[in-house]
């Protein structure tokens, strides 16, 4: 069937995975960012997370959509 439609087999058998719900780390990142009235960058958010006992990389903080 894929040969007739000129589609790769991976497209035909693809199943979309369910997105994970926001975890508590993401919620903490967003909360700290909005509490600072969007003036904090990833470094300041990381310091805020460290104060509450969370260790998160700056790259993960940067991936969170503001």
């Amino acid at each position: 069937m894929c040969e007739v439609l000129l589609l790769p087999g991976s497209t035909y058998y693809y199943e979309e995975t369910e997105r994970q719900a926001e975890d508590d780390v993401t919620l903490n990142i967003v909360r700290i960012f909005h509490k600072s009235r969007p003036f904090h960058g990833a470094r300041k958010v990381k310091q805020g997370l460290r104060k509450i006992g969370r260790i998160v990389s700056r790259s993960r903080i940067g991936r969170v959509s503001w």
Side-chain angles (χ1 to χ4, degrees):
M1 183 166 156
C2 291
E3 292 177 14
V4 174
L5 296 174
L6 300 175
L7 292 173
S10 60
T11 303
Y12 179 75
Y13 292 105
Y14 175 76
E15 290 185 25
E16 187 174 14
T17 57
E18 189 174 321
R19 294 185 71 185
Q20 294 179 350
E22 291 186 4
D23 58 351
D24 59 337
V25 174
T26 303
L27 295 176
N28 284 332
I29 291 171
V30 172
R31 190 175 301 129
I32 289 171
F33 182 74
H34 287 295
K35 191 163 81 171
S36 68
R37 286 177 261 131
F39 294 115
H40 281 177
R43 292 179 183 184
K44 294 284 187 173
V45 171
K46 182 173 178 157
Q47 289 175 357
L49 288 170
R50 188 178 297 151
K51 288 180 184 177
I52 62 172
R54 293 286 189 175
I55 298 176
V56 182
S57 68
R58 282 190 347 210
S59 59
R60 179 168 180 190
I61 295 169
R63 280 194 306 263
V64 175
S65 299
W66 306 112

